[in-house]
Amino acid sequence: NAGVTQTPKFQVLKTGQSMTLQCAQDMNHNSMYWYRQDPGMGLRLIYYSASEGTTDKGEVPNGYNVSRLNKREFSLRLESAAPSQTSVYFCASADRGPNYGYTFGSGTRLTVV
Amino acid sequence: QQPVQSPQAVILREGEDAVINCSSSKALYSVHWYRQKHGEAPVFLMILLKGGEQKGHDKISASFNEKKQQSSLYLTASQLSYSGTYFCGTGPPGDSWGKLQFGAGTQVVVTP
C-alpha cells in the first residue's frame, strides 16, 4: 500500500546515545515533516522540508538534525539523546492542493532512560 | 502560537451530535482537521482554505469563520467509529501546508 513508512517502531536509548529515525514515502510528495507527540500537547513540528534539498526548523528543533536524502526519504537524527526527548515521533508527507492533507506514518515510540 | 481546541473531551451516545472548536489568536488562513485513534497515526479528514468555507465528509463537516479566527468541526448522528482524538492544524499565511501548528486535541468517546 502507498504511504509513509517509518522505522523503527519502538526504540529505547540510554541518555547520550545517538540514533536516526528513518522515513520514506512513495506518493511522490514534495513536502515532508517530522512531528513529536507528547500527552496533552498535541503534535509539535520539529523540522520540515518543503521540497528536496531544503529543510527548515519548526517549533522544537533543539537537539535534532534532519536530512532530506532524496524526494522519498527524510531522516531525523538525535545526536545525544536526553530523557526530555522521550516521545512518539511521526513523519508526514503532503502535496499541495485544495483536498490534500498530511499523510502520517505509523510513528516511532522512543524512550530515553 | 498553538491553536486552542474546546472542549478537551466529550462523551456521546450513538446518534448524538457534537461540536469541536478550534480558535487562534492570529489570523487564520487555512485549517486542517485530523482524527487519531488510540495507538495509531492521525488521519486527514478535511482542509478549509477560505474564510466562510464549509466542507463535509459523511456526517462530519466543518466550517471556517475567518473573522472570528475560528473553525468548528461538527459530528452529526455520531457513530461508534467516530471515537478518537480530533486535532485541528493551522497554517501560516501563504503556505497552507508548511509549518502546521496543531491544537492539543479533543478526545471524543461515542458509547452504544
Side-chain angles (χ1 to χ4, degrees):
Chain A
N1 288 339
V4 178
T5 303
Q6 285 185 240
T7 55
K9 291 193 184 305
F10 301 94
Q11 184 72 46
V12 178
L13 288 179
K14 293 184 179 179
T15 298
Q17 286 185 319
S18 63
M19 77 162 295
T20 299
L21 280 64
Q22 307 286 352
C23 175
Q25 52 94 6
D26 58 4
M27 296 172 287
N28 203 36
H29 286 168
N30 285 303
S31 302
M32 298 186 73
Y33 312 84
W34 277 105
Y35 281 87
R36 60 177 288 174
Q37 186 173 37
D38 303 296
M41 298 192 71
L43 295 148
R44 291 184 293 167
L45 181 65
I46 305 171
Y47 271 94
Y48 86 111
S49 171
S51 60
E52 186 179 354
T54 67
T55 60
D56 199 2
K57 294 179 180 179
E59 301 169 72
V60 288
N62 291 343
Y64 305 95
N65 283 302
V66 291
S67 295
R68 183 76 183 265
L69 304 169
N70 48 54
K71 191 171 186 179
R72 290 186 64 246
E73 298 171 286
F74 187 39
S75 63
L76 178 73
R77 183 160 178 83
L78 286 70
E79 290 292 350
S80 179
S84 61
Q85 294 178 304
T86 294
S87 187
V88 180
Y89 291 84
F90 286 101
C91 176
S93 70
D95 219 345
R96 294 166 184 240
N99 295 311
Y100 302 137
Y102 288 9
T103 300
F104 284 88
S106 57
T108 296
R109 187 173 295 273
L110 175 68
T111 302
V112 183
V113 298
Chain B
Q1 193 165 355
Q2 195 178 25
V4 177
Q5 286 185 235
S6 62
Q8 287 186 322
V10 58
I11 300 174
L12 302 167
R13 288 186 183 270
E14 243 182 320
E16 290 183 339
D17 302 339
V19 180
I20 299 169
N21 295 310
C22 174
S23 300
S24 175
S25 58
K26 301 184 292 186
L28 283 180
Y29 296 90
S30 64
V31 181
H32 292 220
W33 285 97
Y34 294 80
R35 178 173 62 208
Q36 184 178 31
K37 293 189 180 281
H38 184 68
E40 298 181 6
V43 174
F44 174 68
L45 294 176
M46 63 192 81
I47 180 173
L48 299 101
L49 296 174
K50 300 176 189 175
E53 185 173 28
Q54 296 190 25
K55 278 191 174 176
H57 178 71
D58 289 335
K59 292 183 179 177
I60 298 176
S61 60
S63 63
F64 181 7
N65 188 321
E66 197 174 5
K67 285 185 179 178
K68 289 186 178 179
Q69 296 175 186
Q70 177 176 297
S71 176
S72 297
L73 187 74
Y74 305 93
L75 307 181
T76 305
S78 58
Q79 305 168 18
L80 295 176
S81 62
Y82 288 2
S83 292
T85 301
Y86 290 78
F87 293 97
C88 67
T90 58
D95 188 5
S96 302
W97 286 265
K99 293 191 174 182
L100 273 192
Q101 287 190 306
F102 285 90
T106 296
Q107 186 175 13
V108 172
V109 175
V110 181
T111 62

